[in-house]
Amino acid sequence: MTIDRRSFLIGASLLPLVTACGASGSSSTATSLKIGASLPLTGPAADVADPGYKGYQVWQSQINARGGLLGRKVEFVILDDGFDQNTVVSNYNRLITQDRVDLLIGTFSSFLNLPASTVADRNRMLYIEPSGGAADIFSRGHTRLFFSQPGTTDTAHRPFAGYVEGLKERPATAAYLHQDDPSTDVPVQNLRKTFEGLGIKTVYGQKYPPDTKNFDAIANAIRQADPALVVHGALELDGAAVVQAMQRVGFTPPILYQTRAPSSVNTYPQAIGATNTEAIFTAGSWHPAAKYPGNAEFVADYRKQFSQEPSEDAANSYTAVQVLQAGVQAVGKLDQDAIAAWLHANQVDTIVGPLKWDKRGVPDGSLLLMQWQGGKLEVVAPASAATVPSAIPAKPNWAT
């Protein structure tokens, strides 16, 4: 079911409850299995939530075509929180107490998942996050909480840190900026600590609010500092906006690393110019060419259903419901504690690779180091997953 994004978001703003029916297009019935989530379909994270929601829909179409989950057609009950913490708490309470969903699935960003997972825990419900790997989320003793990416914010810095550490000629100076969000703060601070330990001098550091729209002053300050390396902790739109601001002030960093934003393959090149993506680094959990079971089917079905390429956010959502499906099918019933216990004790094969978790719900794995090369987002490390022979060492100047 293809959804026009503008119409969908307008509908979401008018109607607080949005449901996606099964693949047959039938309406909700008493025998449907309801999975509830609150997503930031409007607000500053809407461009993350939109492909994420589509990832859920691809899985929904697949599972319903195969007879559903536990023999019941799957129905998603989706609420819009507008990227607001108070709203996300109200939404998950509503999903549990009023809509009486059978299962929950997580939302996007650590900012929202931190309070949302607390609601789930208080109601003794399973909570699987597609996004939001801040360490604080996993330090509260929740036993039904799981992260469905292969790495968290504590380990997200390692792929790029390892790359820079291995350079024969390391950059002498670095600038750091990030959105005020736990998922961006920790990786950037970890990179800064690592690079300063390698002797790379910090010449600029800045944190900005999530609603920041104009980055010209920040870009000018970075240009004046003239760093050899820029590390940017971005979520989505701010990643492209910072690049656009650097283009306006005429500064091209020799090395540019951004979190999250460069993995948005459908929007990022359009926003900054396709040729300007060249040599930009990021770290990611998923790649469309990965040989993990089910990945090729996911990519093909996403393309067929939405006539576009899947993004990492779509893949992360799909992975989360893969994990949910594995636990429910293994237990054979909707027993939240039994499903959680099974996930803690077993490995699940997903499109981001095999996942297993410690008692906190933290996965045992590492993200991929990726770089835009020749108009495509390629994997440069580890070598076992690389899709290109090597990284491009220096960024070309912005195209005019």
Side-chain angles (χ1 to χ4, degrees):
M1 177 173 62
T2 302
I3 294 178
D4 178 83
R5 185 167 179 267
R6 290 173 298 175
S7 299
F8 174 68
L9 293 183
I10 291 171
S13 66
L14 295 176
L15 300 173
L17 176 61
V18 180
T19 61
C21 299
S24 64
S26 61
S27 60
S28 172
T29 69
T31 59
S32 64
L33 190 151
K34 292 184 179 181
I35 301 176
S38 175
L39 300 176
L41 298 171
T42 57
D47 279 1
V48 176
D50 180 58
Y53 183 43
K54 289 174 179 174
Y56 288 150
Q57 290 175 286
V58 170
W59 173 84
Q60 179 192 22
S61 297
Q62 292 176 346
I63 195 72
N64 284 344
R66 295 165 185 160
L69 193 56
L70 299 182
R72 297 160 63 185
K73 292 287 186 177
V74 171
E75 174 187 348
F76 276 103
V77 183
I78 305 295
L79 307 182
D80 178 19
D81 52 58
F83 203 66
D84 180 81
Q85 285 185 320
N86 292 327
T87 305
V88 83
V89 168
S90 298
N91 283 353
Y92 274 100
N93 275 315
R94 171 179 170 169
L95 288 167
I96 296 167
T97 62
Q98 296 183 38
D99 298 310
R100 298 194 176 278
V101 297
D102 299 290
L103 296 164
L104 296 175
I105 203 74
T107 185
F108 281 82
S109 86
S110 297
F111 177 77
L112 295 178
N113 273 304
L114 185 64
S117 59
T118 299
V119 176
D121 185 70
R122 287 174 181 169
N123 288 274
R124 304 182 63 83
M125 291 193 72
L126 191 71
Y127 192 83
I128 301 173
E129 293 183 60
S131 165
D136 290 350
I137 296 177
F138 307 101
S139 62
R140 299 167 296 162
H142 294 183
T143 58
R144 303 170 199 87
L145 172 66
F146 299 88
F147 190 47
S148 62
Q149 295 184 33
T152 64
T153 55
D154 278 347
T155 61
H157 69 290
R158 292 177 182 172
F160 187 60
Y163 168 77
V164 173
E165 188 173 4
L167 292 175
K168 293 182 179 179
E169 294 185 12
R170 297 171 187 155
T173 56
Y176 304 88
L177 68 155
H178 65 90
Q179 185 177 140
D180 187 7
D181 186 279
S183 64
T184 59
D185 188 355
V186 175
V188 171
Q189 295 306 323
N190 282 342
L191 283 171
R192 180 171 179 170
K193 180 179 179 180
T194 300
F195 293 159
E196 287 179 344
L198 295 174
I200 300 174
K201 182 182 178 180
T202 297
V203 294
Y204 179 82
Q206 182 65 42
K207 176 171 65 176
Y208 56 86
D211 59 354
T212 302
K213 297 293 190 298
N214 191 313
F215 293 93
D216 286 357
I218 288 176
N220 263 315
I222 292 174
R223 179 180 60 83
Q224 292 171 11
D226 195 26
L229 164 65
V230 172
V231 173
H232 179 203
L235 284 182
E236 179 71 16
L237 298 178
D238 54 326
V242 165
V243 169
Q244 291 167 344
M246 287 193 290
Q247 291 171 347
R248 284 193 294 270
V249 302
F251 176 73
T252 304
I255 303 176
L256 174 59
Y257 173 88
Q258 292 183 306
T259 63
R260 290 186 61 88
S263 64
S264 298
V265 295
N266 295 306
T267 58
Y268 189 75
Q270 295 177 0
I272 70 171
T275 59
N276 287 326
T277 62
E278 190 72 0
I280 294 177
F281 285 98
T282 191
S285 59
W286 169 84
H287 192 272
K291 303 301 182 184
Y292 298 124
N295 191 42
E297 181 186 13
F298 162 70
V299 172
D301 286 354
Y302 191 99
R303 288 170 176 164
K304 181 179 179 180
Q305 196 162 346
F306 297 107
S307 300
Q308 62 181 198
E309 297 300 311
S311 69
E312 183 182 32
D313 295 306
N316 289 338
S317 287
Y318 186 89
T319 302
V321 282
Q322 274 191 304
V323 172
L324 184 65
Q325 174 186 346
V328 170
Q329 289 179 332
V331 172
K333 58 182 178 179
L334 294 175
D335 184 326
Q336 309 281 331
D337 288 334
I339 297 169
W342 186 89
L343 290 174
H344 278 298
N346 291 274
Q347 176 178 289
V348 176
D349 292 326
T350 75
I351 62 171
V352 300
L355 294 177
K356 58 182 179 179
W357 299 267
D358 64 16
K359 64 180 181 180
R360 301 170 298 164
V362 173
D364 177 20
S366 179
L367 299 178
L368 305 169
L369 180 62
M370 301 183 183
Q371 186 183 49
W372 279 91
Q373 296 188 14
K376 294 182 179 180
L377 189 60
E378 304 284 4
V379 179
V380 297
S384 60
T387 58
V388 289
S390 61
I392 299 172
K395 175 136 191 43
N397 287 333
W398 305 121
T400 56

